[in-house]
Short mmCIF file of all heavy atoms in Angstrom, two decimals:
data_model
loop_
_atom_site.label_atom_id
_atom_site.label_comp_id
_atom_site.label_asym_id
_atom_site.label_seq_id
_atom_site.Cartn_x
_atom_site.Cartn_y
_atom_site.Cartn_z
N PHE A 77 11.13 4.88 -10.82
CA PHE A 77 10.96 4.28 -12.12
C PHE A 77 11.03 5.28 -13.19
O PHE A 77 10.84 6.53 -12.93
CB PHE A 77 9.63 3.52 -12.12
CG PHE A 77 8.33 4.35 -11.96
CD1 PHE A 77 7.71 4.88 -13.11
CD2 PHE A 77 7.84 4.59 -10.72
CE1 PHE A 77 6.52 5.61 -12.93
CE2 PHE A 77 6.69 5.34 -10.58
CZ PHE A 77 6.07 5.88 -11.63
N LYS A 78 11.36 4.87 -14.42
CA LYS A 78 11.66 5.79 -15.52
C LYS A 78 10.72 5.51 -16.69
O LYS A 78 10.47 4.38 -17.09
CB LYS A 78 13.05 5.62 -15.96
CG LYS A 78 13.47 6.47 -17.13
CD LYS A 78 15.00 6.19 -17.42
CE LYS A 78 15.46 7.07 -18.64
NZ LYS A 78 16.87 6.70 -19.00
N VAL A 79 10.13 6.54 -17.26
CA VAL A 79 9.38 6.49 -18.49
C VAL A 79 10.25 7.19 -19.60
O VAL A 79 10.46 8.37 -19.52
CB VAL A 79 8.02 7.10 -18.35
CG1 VAL A 79 7.29 7.06 -19.68
CG2 VAL A 79 7.23 6.48 -17.28
N SER A 80 10.59 6.46 -20.64
CA SER A 80 11.38 6.98 -21.74
C SER A 80 10.54 7.23 -22.94
O SER A 80 9.78 6.32 -23.37
CB SER A 80 12.58 6.08 -22.04
OG SER A 80 13.36 5.89 -20.97
N MET A 81 10.58 8.37 -23.59
CA MET A 81 9.81 8.67 -24.81
C MET A 81 10.62 8.24 -26.03
O MET A 81 11.78 7.91 -25.93
CB MET A 81 9.47 10.14 -24.81
CG MET A 81 8.63 10.61 -23.64
SD MET A 81 8.49 12.42 -23.56
CE MET A 81 7.69 12.73 -25.17
N ALA A 82 9.98 8.29 -27.11
CA ALA A 82 10.53 7.79 -28.43
C ALA A 82 11.73 8.65 -28.73
O ALA A 82 12.69 8.18 -29.42
CB ALA A 82 9.51 7.87 -29.50
N LYS A 83 11.83 9.92 -28.32
CA LYS A 83 12.93 10.82 -28.59
C LYS A 83 14.04 10.67 -27.56
O LYS A 83 14.87 11.61 -27.44
CB LYS A 83 12.44 12.22 -28.76
CG LYS A 83 11.46 12.46 -29.91
CD LYS A 83 11.00 13.95 -29.96
CE LYS A 83 10.09 14.11 -31.07
NZ LYS A 83 9.63 15.60 -31.18
N ASN A 84 14.08 9.60 -26.85
CA ASN A 84 15.10 9.33 -25.82
C ASN A 84 15.11 10.32 -24.71
O ASN A 84 16.07 10.55 -23.99
CB ASN A 84 16.50 9.30 -26.47
CG ASN A 84 16.65 8.19 -27.41
OD1 ASN A 84 16.14 7.07 -27.17
ND2 ASN A 84 17.34 8.33 -28.48
N GLN A 85 13.92 11.00 -24.47
CA GLN A 85 13.82 11.89 -23.35
C GLN A 85 13.31 11.07 -22.16
O GLN A 85 12.30 10.37 -22.24
CB GLN A 85 12.88 13.08 -23.62
CG GLN A 85 12.79 14.02 -22.51
CD GLN A 85 11.85 15.15 -22.84
OE1 GLN A 85 11.10 15.10 -23.84
NE2 GLN A 85 11.79 16.22 -22.02
N GLY A 86 14.02 11.23 -20.98
CA GLY A 86 13.66 10.38 -19.81
C GLY A 86 12.91 11.17 -18.83
O GLY A 86 13.25 12.32 -18.57
N HIS A 87 11.92 10.56 -18.16
CA HIS A 87 11.17 11.16 -17.13
C HIS A 87 11.25 10.26 -15.88
O HIS A 87 10.89 9.09 -16.03
CB HIS A 87 9.71 11.32 -17.51
CG HIS A 87 9.55 12.27 -18.66
ND1 HIS A 87 9.14 13.58 -18.60
CD2 HIS A 87 9.73 12.07 -20.02
CE1 HIS A 87 9.08 14.15 -19.78
NE2 HIS A 87 9.37 13.26 -20.67
N PHE A 88 11.69 10.72 -14.77
CA PHE A 88 11.90 9.92 -13.59
C PHE A 88 10.83 10.21 -12.53
O PHE A 88 10.58 11.38 -12.18
CB PHE A 88 13.34 10.16 -13.07
CG PHE A 88 14.40 9.77 -13.97
CD1 PHE A 88 14.83 10.77 -14.98
CD2 PHE A 88 14.97 8.59 -14.01
CE1 PHE A 88 15.81 10.45 -15.82
CE2 PHE A 88 15.96 8.27 -14.89
CZ PHE A 88 16.38 9.18 -15.80
N PHE A 89 10.31 9.11 -11.93
CA PHE A 89 9.31 9.32 -10.85
C PHE A 89 9.78 8.58 -9.65
O PHE A 89 10.40 7.54 -9.72
CB PHE A 89 7.96 8.73 -11.25
CG PHE A 89 7.30 9.47 -12.45
CD1 PHE A 89 7.68 9.22 -13.73
CD2 PHE A 89 6.31 10.39 -12.20
CE1 PHE A 89 7.11 9.81 -14.77
CE2 PHE A 89 5.74 11.04 -13.23
CZ PHE A 89 6.15 10.79 -14.57
N GLN A 90 9.47 9.10 -8.44
CA GLN A 90 9.83 8.39 -7.19
C GLN A 90 8.56 8.34 -6.36
O GLN A 90 7.92 9.27 -6.06
CB GLN A 90 10.93 9.16 -6.40
CG GLN A 90 11.34 8.45 -5.16
CD GLN A 90 12.41 9.19 -4.39
OE1 GLN A 90 12.44 10.47 -4.38
NE2 GLN A 90 13.34 8.49 -3.73
N ALA A 91 8.26 7.12 -5.91
CA ALA A 91 7.11 6.86 -5.07
C ALA A 91 7.60 6.82 -3.61
O ALA A 91 8.83 6.77 -3.29
CB ALA A 91 6.48 5.53 -5.46
N THR A 92 6.60 6.87 -2.67
CA THR A 92 6.97 6.92 -1.28
C THR A 92 7.15 5.53 -0.72
O THR A 92 7.84 5.34 0.33
CB THR A 92 5.93 7.65 -0.45
OG1 THR A 92 4.67 6.90 -0.68
CG2 THR A 92 5.74 9.05 -0.88
#
Side-chain angles (χ1 to χ4, degrees):
F77 62 93
K78 178 181 180 181
V79 178
S80 302
M81 297 170 60
K83 296 181 179 180
N84 295 322
Q85 184 180 10
H87 300 259
F88 300 87
F89 296 82
Q90 182 181 34
T92 58

